[in-house]
Amino acid sequence: MRLSQMLWVTLREDPAEAELPSHKLLLRAGYIRRIGSGLYAYLPLMWRVLQKISAIVREEMDATGAQECLLTQLQPAELWQESGRWDTYTKAEGIMFAMTDRANREVGLGPTHEEVITAIARDAIRSYRQLPQHLYQIQTKFRDEIRPRFGLMRGREFIMKDGYSFHVNEESLKETYYAMDRAYRKMFDRCGLKFRAVEADSGAIGGSGSQEFMVLAEAGEDDILFTEDGRYAANVEKAVSIPPEAVASHFDKFEKLHTPKANTIESVCKMLKCSPTQVVKQVLYQVTYDNGMAVLVLVSIRGDRDVNEVKLQNELVKVAANYGGKAVINLQVADAESQQKWAHSQLPLGYIAPDLADSYIDQVKDFAPKFLRLADRTVAELHNFVTGANEADYHVVGANWAKEFPLPTVVNLDKAQAGDRALHDPTQILQTARGIEVGHIFQLGTKYSQAMKATFTNEQGEELPLVMGCYGLGVSRLAQAAVEQSHDKDGIIWNKAIAPYHVIVTVPNIADTKQIEVAESLYHALQVAKIEVLLDDRDERAGVKFKDADLVGIPYRVVTGKAIADGKVEIVNRATKVATLVAIANVVEYLQQELS
Amino acid sequence: MRLSQMLWVTLREDPAEAELPSHKLLLRAGYIRRIGSGLYAYLPLMWRVLQKISAIVREEMDATGAQECLLTQLQPAELWQESGRWDTYTKAEGIMFAMTDRANREVGLGPTHEEVITAIARDAIRSYRQLPQHLYQIQTKFRDEIRPRFGLMRGREFIMKDGYSFHVNEESLKETYYAMDRAYRKMFDRCGLKFRAVEADSGAIGGSGSQEFMVLAEAGEDDILFTEDGRYAANVEKAVSIPPEAVASHFDKFEKLHTPKANTIESVCKMLKCSPTQVVKQVLYQVTYDNGMAVLVLVSIRGDRDVNEVKLQNELVKVAANYGGKAVINLQVADAESQQKWAHSQLPLGYIAPDLADSYIDQVKDFAPKFLRLADRTVAELHNFVTGANEADYHVVGANWAKEFPLPTVVNLDKAQAGDRALHDPTQILQTARGIEVGHIFQLGTKYSQAMKATFTNEQGEELPLVMGCYGLGVSRLAQAAVEQSHDKDGIIWNKAIAPYHVIVTVPNIADTKQIEVAESLYHALQVAKIEVLLDDRDERAGVKFKDADLVGIPYRVVTGKAIADGKVEIVNRATKVATLVAIANVVEYLQQELS
């Protein structure tokens, strides 16, 4: 392609709308253009990158026997009502765009396709002899994000590969799940990405096991915990660990102490000269279920630990039936500000005890008619601990479970953190990194097939729900993550596997007919050799062309400059910036070698 | 692909939802599945067909220098408000799905992309030196159809190739427009379709010249008029012609005659023993403009001709400014039924004169405060004609323009019909055919660039609006049109260029290890030879397999039946049903020959 004929405009200045380097670079280098909030047009160069990633994804998916299809983007509400997700997706969380058509039927714009594919499987699959099956598609998805940002990272329209598999049992599901794990690793390797596969929380999609694929990058939104030995990596939301041991308590007598203004762990520890590991801290939540029921949840956790709210949410969903609900739609921690909103009582925040007195509970009955106590496993084994006295400016010390306070239901709610020991080998200490989630594979089990009555008949003639897996990969997000991982101050550095073009031939001076002649003949020869080549034949200064070439990030730049007098051109490697003089006659061979 | 492993189910019965043969066949043969009204999932076989069509489209588009991109499907209302189409598309006609996002902004789901691409061009194009440009995309589009039907023909989601070009002037536009004409013909040829390029009306897209590409099929929704010499073809909505000459009138005296119950052309001609070509008939419309203004329009046209309502609508848009409007949103003909709705007067329908009396007009003032008279060119030259007397059961004869009736504004409103003479050669008589519109190319001109202020600077430094073209092709519609054009009672007959697979190897009896052995080895050999092959290794009766193979329409079927005892297999051509015995060793070569 000749740049003089391509619709391509680069920007000198960083666009105000962008924060992340990758977002800035994709806008500046003319890859994408903003059409509206969270909406980006993929201009010709970007489309080539996306097509290359898609081609890699297709090859690896097809190699596993998965079948490509294309499902509808508009999805009838009835399907989502069957799975029970319509209200959660369109109202409670509101991430699904929904509308009413001219016949007054509700339809949503697909953020994901479990319902549609399960409806198809329910019709098409009757017998174990038809199983396993795995269908996938590469398609634009939609999410009405609360705060669309970071360009293609969190847009309202984005391209995904999503696959769905159907099985007779968990064993068959696991086979496909592990095949997908291998296929995903191949795809990311082929795209030239540094990544980690991590244990993940299954979130709203549901299911038992799930794994995320994180492209490592400083600006990543996700925290990863991992061990040096490479045997453990997990999203912080999902990570498990052995917390440091608690320091033995020196309070051997239960008593109430005056601790004025010591309403933080730090201040109370300082005042009482104790370790945070000796303190039982209470965190109070107001939880709202999907049926509108509000529950006050009091979590007791060790003073040095934080609550992992994803784990908490999962625990709360488990007991949802007790409150007539199914899903948690809101989780709000009681701090000075939020307390004003949903509790006018004088709750002594910072001094609450594990058995928050009934008098306080009565005060908030209107806001949270139900009350639930949970204890993190980190407090279950504590003796003679310090905790609140249910009275402002007072703590108790030397407390013990069953003696002064009943031990609430013990669950695992603490957030793993760097410095914790690993479960698989306590000599391994967890370390932290940041990543961008580009893939997520799930063992769904029978969540959707049961809800939607998608069954098959097994060899014994029994009718059973299909066992399902689902496998997502963010194609447009991967493209930007690649830029986030690989760029320098001058611009993008594409891996040759996903670069829009392999080579850019830059003519420093188009008024020089000799330069043009060499460039045109190389442009032709490279095309014949199936090397994807751009020709910068624009009427611009050499400096502008070099800057643009760096910005756009094509792996190799061929410059038909002064050296042509000696029968040579300069070939610059974009990543290393190393320039090599190569005889004109050897350029094709040289680049074939480099690109192979 | 092994059929035993593919998600593929065929139906024995015609599905109740389908009317067209192609729609029935695509459902029965397991290509598509209905997800909701006008919404179809493309199952793996269909997806392969669509990918093949897309690949042909891409190759031919790229060969013209057009650049592929992908624009957003969600489109902010503001862009459509700039072009002035938001209300027409979302309210008046209501064909655009529209919704409000969580930030209360209006967004639509793209049925077309003039606005988005013009916004991009407005930003990116500054100078004539950047022109011409041509961007295209292959994408799912949305239309909230009043009556979705015929499967992929008139769905609410469908795949389109849409391209948009930008030029310095009409001459440059025409160059690209004709290049597109040639590219489209190549695409349809390569897909193996019988088609006609016809002059078309530009409709709501706007612009000067436009051409449709029609796949010929009996069940087509569109009427085409064409001449035997191949030099003229047009959509009936757009077609022009020389109507037959009028028979000279024998009424040489103006008089009013009693014509009881003769309120049709047929009955009055019978009673007065005259030709319909001697009669001036009046057709009365109630027209509503987008600003709500209603206008009563009286069209005078020759008795043997019909009003082409697309032409009428175009004429009415031209004079819209007189009524404070821009677009016509409703056009209703006054017949006995509609008259009840919008006019309680005793209008003597069937007896109205070209100068409809004021007393009648007064009666309908509430329903249509404005009144407009138009005469089709077929009545302008008539002498001593017959027409209504503005009084039930009476006509006048021997009437003349300017004498008894003022001649209204003369326009061209008559619908061309089979039997008319061609303009380019009056010895050529128009004939009729039916087609399915699969492509439409437009010379848009400056309609969008002017409205959206997308300008460039020409060589003389003047700022001018970009001159635009747009080029649509229905990819999913083309796939079904191909089936509509090419099928028989047993199923689909795919052209090899767009068939999902080239060959199906059918094993009549999978219990016969010799048959399986031959089939497996051929399956392998054909794959090695890059021939796309299905292996029917299902545990089904031979009859079922043969029926399914015919239904699914793969061009060649290889049967590893009894003949393998003689070292041969039967190869059946799906289109001709001719079966040939071919030595097993020669199968690959034979099929390579057939497919080349």
Side-chain angles (χ1 to χ4, degrees):
Chain A
M1 183 86 206
R2 290 165 191 277
L3 279 185
S4 63
Q5 291 174 8
M6 195 165 88
L7 187 62
W8 187 54
V9 178
T10 57
L11 310 174
R12 287 289 149 255
E13 305 297 325
D14 274 341
E17 68 184 89
E19 298 169 48
L20 288 190
S22 54
H23 186 194
K24 290 178 192 170
L25 287 172
L26 289 175
L27 283 166
R28 280 189 52 209
Y31 282 86
I32 58 175
R33 188 190 173 278
R34 186 177 181 278
I35 300 299
S37 170
L39 301 174
Y40 290 87
Y42 308 119
L43 298 179
L45 286 175
M46 191 72 206
W47 185 241
R48 289 180 70 96
V49 173
L50 294 171
Q51 289 285 74
K52 290 197 174 185
I53 296 168
S54 297
I56 290 171
V57 170
R58 277 198 178 102
E59 279 175 31
E60 295 302 336
M61 291 301 293
D62 292 347
T64 69
Q67 303 156 61
E68 189 172 354
C69 64
L70 191 72
L71 306 177
T72 60
Q73 293 177 297
L74 288 173
Q75 305 192 0
E78 299 88 63
L79 289 179
W80 287 68
Q81 280 150 358
E82 282 188 61
S83 74
R85 293 204 295 182
W86 180 256
D87 285 346
T88 316
Y89 269 70
T90 61
K91 298 185 187 84
E93 299 181 1
I95 57 157
M96 179 147 82
F97 285 102
M99 70 209 102
T100 303
D101 70 13
R102 67 161 77 228
N104 238 349
R105 290 168 297 217
E106 282 187 299
V107 283
L109 267 179
T112 179
H113 278 74
E114 283 81 6
E115 282 78 1
V116 171
I117 198 78
T118 306
I120 291 175
R122 166 170 72 183
D123 265 21
I125 299 173
R126 292 268 171 276
S127 156
Y128 71 96
R129 290 184 303 170
Q130 292 171 280
L131 295 170
Q133 289 291 344
H134 184 177
L135 270 76
Y136 78 97
Q137 58 177 346
I138 297 177
Q139 187 195 50
T140 296
K141 301 273 191 262
F142 303 88
R143 279 176 72 100
D144 195 359
E145 289 285 352
I146 296 175
R147 213 185 126 213
R149 59 190 186 280
F150 305 144
L152 310 184
M153 293 289 190
R154 195 165 292 281
R156 300 200 294 170
E157 253 189 68
F158 49 96
I159 302 177
M160 289 275 296
K161 186 284 294 179
D162 49 328
Y164 306 87
S165 67
F166 299 91
H167 308 269
V168 291
N169 56 29
E170 292 280 340
E171 196 187 332
S172 166
L173 164 61
K174 281 193 161 64
E175 247 175 62
T176 297
Y177 181 82
Y178 292 126
M180 280 301 107
D181 177 33
R182 292 189 297 273
Y184 273 46
R185 288 170 194 267
K186 268 197 208 161
M187 294 175 203
F188 300 129
D189 275 335
R190 287 183 59 186
C191 291
L193 294 167
K194 290 189 277 291
F195 68 95
R196 259 181 212 282
V198 304
E199 283 181 25
D201 183 76
S202 303
I205 300 286
S208 51
S210 97
Q211 187 169 274
E212 282 174 352
F213 294 86
M214 296 282 188
V215 168
L216 299 178
E218 273 171 41
E221 275 193 287
D222 285 283
D223 277 312
I224 303 164
L225 291 168
F226 65 96
T227 55
E228 201 68 56
D229 65 1
R231 286 174 57 206
Y232 184 74
N235 191 312
V236 71
E237 293 168 347
K238 174 76 178 182
V240 290
S241 66
I242 305 169
E245 292 214 5
V247 174
S249 172
H250 56 277
F251 300 106
D252 49 8
K253 204 178 82 192
F254 179 74
E255 56 183 326
K256 178 166 147 187
L257 299 179
H258 189 216
T259 51
K261 294 190 177 157
N263 60 353
T264 63
I265 295 295
E266 197 188 348
S267 54
V268 76
C269 286
K270 198 170 165 193
M271 193 172 287
L272 300 179
K273 297 184 176 42
C274 65
S275 153
T277 63
Q278 294 163 350
V279 182
V280 173
K281 115 179 132 179
Q282 272 60 244
V283 189
L284 189 62
Y285 287 93
Q286 190 206 36
V287 172
T288 314
Y289 280 96
D290 53 345
N291 61 343
M293 175 63 76
V295 180
L296 205 65
V297 179
L298 187 68
V299 176
S300 296
I301 191 167
R302 218 168 70 181
D304 62 323
R305 311 297 289 176
D306 289 324
V307 176
N308 177 333
E309 293 186 357
V310 173
K311 284 187 184 175
L312 174 59
Q313 186 144 346
N314 292 343
E315 286 298 331
L316 293 169
V317 168
K318 282 187 205 162
V319 296
N322 299 349
Y323 308 109
K326 280 179 184 164
V328 171
I329 59 164
N330 193 25
L331 195 68
Q332 199 175 24
V333 75
D335 53 23
E337 190 192 347
S338 67
Q339 190 188 357
Q340 294 301 321
K341 288 191 200 143
W342 53 264
H344 295 289
S345 70
Q346 291 304 309
L347 280 177
L349 288 182
Y351 304 94
I352 294 177
D355 67 341
L356 179 60
D358 284 345
S359 61
Y360 291 121
I361 295 173
D362 284 345
Q363 292 180 331
V364 296
K365 273 265 156 68
D366 286 349
F367 303 95
K370 300 286 182 180
F371 186 62
L372 174 70
R373 291 183 181 90
L374 295 172
D376 179 57
R377 47 135 189 195
T378 50
V379 298
E381 300 300 319
L382 291 187
H383 299 287
N384 294 327
F385 53 79
V386 176
T387 195
N390 272 341
E391 188 181 342
D393 295 338
Y394 285 91
H395 279 83
V396 295
V397 300
N400 285 284
W401 297 116
K403 222 165 140 202
E404 286 81 19
F405 300 105
L407 179 62
T409 311
V410 177
V411 285
N412 179 336
L413 292 179
D414 73 310
K415 195 187 248 177
Q417 51 197 48
D420 289 357
R421 287 164 293 150
L423 282 184
H424 74 277
D425 174 357
T427 69
Q428 290 283 323
I429 302 300
L430 293 189
Q431 303 184 35
T432 186
R434 294 188 75 82
I436 299 162
E437 183 199 333
V438 288
H440 202 161
I441 61 177
F442 296 87
Q443 296 176 40
L444 285 180
T446 57
K447 174 174 167 167
Y448 296 91
S449 52
Q450 272 187 321
M452 296 180 69
K453 302 188 178 54
T455 60
F456 71 102
T457 307
N458 73 3
E459 231 167 324
Q460 288 73 45
E462 295 164 302
E463 197 177 335
L464 296 172
L466 290 159
V467 178
M468 289 173 61
C470 83
Y471 318 96
L473 187 149
V475 172
S476 46
R477 180 181 265 224
L478 186 154
Q480 187 174 331
V483 176
E484 194 58 45
Q485 190 176 78
S486 177
H487 64 269
D488 62 17
K489 66 177 182 10
D490 297 321
I492 299 169
I493 303 172
W494 289 112
N495 183 285
K496 62 192 177 193
I498 60 173
Y501 288 88
H502 301 129
V503 174
I504 181 167
V505 175
T506 304
V507 189
N509 178 7
I510 63 160
D512 183 332
T513 54
K514 182 73 186 140
Q515 285 192 12
I516 283 283
E517 203 177 288
V518 172
E520 290 281 351
S521 97
L522 284 174
Y523 177 57
H524 180 73
L526 289 166
Q527 282 178 317
V528 170
K530 304 266 183 227
I531 292 175
E532 298 167 21
V533 58
L534 280 175
L535 176 64
D536 193 350
D537 57 346
R538 293 174 302 161
D539 183 10
E540 294 281 1
R541 285 177 299 111
V544 169
K545 292 185 179 186
F546 295 153
K547 268 203 158 56
D548 278 347
D550 278 349
L551 183 59
V552 79
I554 308 297
Y556 294 93
R557 181 169 88 220
V558 176
V559 185
T560 59
K562 286 174 194 157
I564 61 170
D566 308 324
K568 290 182 176 169
V569 292
E570 193 183 58
I571 299 186
V572 186
N573 179 315
R574 173 64 188 88
T576 63
K577 299 242 173 176
V578 172
T580 313
L581 283 175
V582 177
I584 293 170
N586 299 338
V587 166
V588 171
E589 198 190 351
Y590 177 90
L591 287 170
Q592 275 173 331
Q593 199 96 44
E594 290 282 318
L595 289 164
S596 69
Chain B
M1 184 88 207
R2 290 164 193 277
L3 279 185
S4 64
Q5 290 174 12
M6 194 164 87
L7 186 62
W8 187 53
V9 177
T10 57
L11 310 175
R12 287 287 149 255
E13 304 297 325
D14 273 342
E17 70 185 90
E19 297 168 50
L20 287 189
S22 54
H23 186 194
K24 289 179 193 170
L25 288 172
L26 289 175
L27 284 166
R28 280 189 50 207
Y31 281 86
I32 59 174
R33 189 192 171 278
R34 187 177 180 277
I35 300 299
S37 170
L39 302 173
Y40 289 86
Y42 308 119
L43 299 178
L45 286 176
M46 191 71 207
W47 185 241
R48 289 180 69 96
V49 173
L50 295 171
Q51 289 284 76
K52 292 199 173 183
I53 296 169
S54 297
I56 290 171
V57 170
R58 276 196 178 103
E59 280 175 30
E60 296 301 335
M61 291 300 294
D62 291 349
T64 69
Q67 303 156 62
E68 190 172 354
C69 65
L70 191 72
L71 307 176
T72 60
Q73 293 177 296
L74 287 173
Q75 305 193 2
E78 300 87 64
L79 289 179
W80 286 68
Q81 279 150 359
E82 282 189 62
S83 73
R85 291 205 294 181
W86 180 256
D87 285 346
T88 315
Y89 268 70
T90 60
K91 296 184 189 87
E93 298 182 0
I95 57 158
M96 181 148 82
F97 285 102
M99 70 208 101
T100 303
D101 70 12
R102 67 161 77 228
N104 237 350
R105 290 168 298 216
E106 281 186 301
V107 282
L109 267 180
T112 180
H113 278 74
E114 283 81 8
E115 282 78 1
V116 171
I117 197 80
T118 305
I120 291 174
R122 166 169 74 184
D123 265 23
I125 300 173
R126 292 269 170 276
S127 155
Y128 71 95
R129 289 184 303 170
Q130 293 171 278
L131 295 170
Q133 290 290 346
H134 184 176
L135 271 78
Y136 77 96
Q137 57 178 346
I138 296 177
Q139 188 194 51
T140 296
K141 300 274 190 265
F142 303 88
R143 280 176 72 99
D144 194 0
E145 289 285 351
I146 296 175
R147 210 184 130 213
R149 60 190 186 281
F150 306 144
L152 311 184
M153 293 288 188
R154 194 164 292 281
R156 300 201 295 170
E157 255 190 66
F158 49 97
I159 302 176
M160 288 276 295
K161 187 284 294 177
D162 50 326
Y164 306 88
S165 67
F166 300 91
H167 308 270
V168 291
N169 56 29
E170 292 281 337
E171 196 187 329
S172 166
L173 164 60
K174 281 194 162 60
E175 249 175 61
T176 298
Y177 181 81
Y178 293 127
M180 279 302 108
D181 176 32
R182 290 189 297 273
Y184 273 46
R185 288 170 193 267
K186 267 197 208 161
M187 293 174 201
F188 300 129
D189 275 335
R190 287 183 60 186
C191 291
L193 294 167
K194 288 187 281 292
F195 69 96
R196 259 179 212 282
V198 303
E199 282 182 25
D201 183 78
S202 303
I205 301 286
S208 52
S210 96
Q211 186 169 277
E212 283 174 354
F213 295 85
M214 297 282 186
V215 169
L216 299 179
E218 273 170 43
E221 274 194 287
D222 286 284
D223 277 310
I224 303 165
L225 291 169
F226 65 96
T227 55
E228 200 67 55
D229 66 0
R231 287 172 59 205
Y232 184 73
N235 191 312
V236 70
E237 293 169 348
K238 175 75 179 181
V240 289
S241 65
I242 305 171
E245 293 212 4
V247 174
S249 172
H250 56 279
F251 299 106
D252 49 8
K253 205 179 78 190
F254 178 75
E255 57 183 327
K256 179 167 144 187
L257 299 178
H258 189 217
T259 51
K261 294 189 179 159
N263 61 351
T264 64
I265 296 295
E266 197 189 348
S267 53
V268 74
C269 285
K270 200 171 164 192
M271 192 173 287
L272 300 179
K273 297 185 177 41
C274 65
S275 153
T277 62
Q278 295 164 350
V279 182
V280 173
K281 111 177 133 180
Q282 271 62 242
V283 189
L284 188 63
Y285 288 92
Q286 190 205 36
V287 172
T288 313
Y289 280 96
D290 53 346
N291 62 342
M293 174 65 76
V295 180
L296 204 65
V297 179
L298 185 69
V299 176
S300 296
I301 190 166
R302 216 170 70 184
D304 60 322
R305 313 296 291 175
D306 289 324
V307 176
N308 178 332
E309 292 187 357
V310 173
K311 286 186 184 175
L312 175 59
Q313 185 144 347
N314 292 343
E315 287 299 330
L316 293 168
V317 168
K318 283 187 204 161
V319 296
N322 298 349
Y323 309 108
K326 279 180 184 163
V328 171
I329 58 164
N330 193 24
L331 194 69
Q332 200 175 24
V333 75
D335 53 24
E337 191 192 345
S338 66
Q339 189 189 358
Q340 296 300 324
K341 289 191 198 141
W342 52 267
H344 295 291
S345 70
Q346 290 305 309
L347 280 177
L349 288 182
Y351 304 95
I352 294 176
D355 66 342
L356 181 61
D358 286 345
S359 61
Y360 291 122
I361 296 172
D362 286 344
Q363 291 179 331
V364 297
K365 273 265 156 67
D366 288 349
F367 303 95
K370 300 285 182 181
F371 186 61
L372 175 69
R373 288 184 185 87
L374 296 172
D376 179 57
R377 46 129 188 198
T378 50
V379 299
E381 301 301 319
L382 290 188
H383 299 288
N384 294 326
F385 53 78
V386 174
T387 194
N390 272 341
E391 187 181 340
D393 295 337
Y394 285 91
H395 278 84
V396 294
V397 300
N400 284 285
W401 298 116
K403 224 166 135 197
E404 285 82 19
F405 301 105
L407 179 63
T409 312
V410 176
V411 286
N412 180 337
L413 292 178
D414 72 309
K415 195 187 247 176
Q417 53 198 48
D420 289 359
R421 287 164 294 149
L423 281 184
H424 76 278
D425 175 356
T427 70
Q428 290 282 326
I429 302 303
L430 294 188
Q431 304 185 34
T432 185
R434 294 188 77 81
I436 299 161
E437 183 198 333
V438 288
H440 201 162
I441 62 177
F442 296 86
Q443 295 176 42
L444 285 180
T446 58
K447 173 173 169 167
Y448 297 92
S449 53
Q450 274 189 319
M452 297 180 68
K453 301 188 178 56
T455 60
F456 72 102
T457 307
N458 72 4
E459 232 168 323
Q460 287 73 44
E462 297 163 303
E463 197 177 335
L464 295 172
L466 290 160
V467 178
M468 291 173 60
C470 84
Y471 318 97
L473 187 149
V475 173
S476 46
R477 180 182 265 224
L478 186 154
Q480 187 174 332
V483 176
E484 194 58 44
Q485 190 177 79
S486 179
H487 65 270
D488 61 17
K489 65 177 183 10
D490 297 322
I492 300 170
I493 304 172
W494 288 112
N495 183 285
K496 63 193 177 192
I498 59 174
Y501 288 87
H502 300 130
V503 175
I504 180 166
V505 176
T506 304
V507 190
N509 178 8
I510 63 160
D512 182 332
T513 53
K514 183 68 184 144
Q515 285 192 11
I516 283 284
E517 203 177 287
V518 172
E520 290 280 353
S521 99
L522 284 175
Y523 178 58
H524 180 72
L526 289 166
Q527 282 179 317
V528 169
K530 303 268 184 225
I531 291 175
E532 298 168 20
V533 58
L534 279 175
L535 177 63
D536 192 350
D537 58 346
R538 292 174 303 163
D539 183 9
E540 294 282 1
R541 284 178 300 113
V544 169
K545 292 184 178 187
F546 294 152
K547 267 202 159 54
D548 278 349
D550 279 348
L551 183 60
V552 78
I554 308 298
Y556 294 93
R557 181 170 89 220
V558 176
V559 185
T560 59
K562 287 174 192 157
I564 60 171
D566 308 324
K568 289 182 178 171
V569 292
E570 191 184 54
I571 300 187
V572 186
N573 179 315
R574 172 66 186 88
T576 63
K577 300 245 171 167
V578 172
T580 313
L581 282 175
V582 177
I584 293 169
N586 298 339
V587 166
V588 171
E589 198 189 351
Y590 177 89
L591 287 169
Q592 275 173 330
Q593 199 95 41
E594 291 283 319
L595 290 163
S596 70

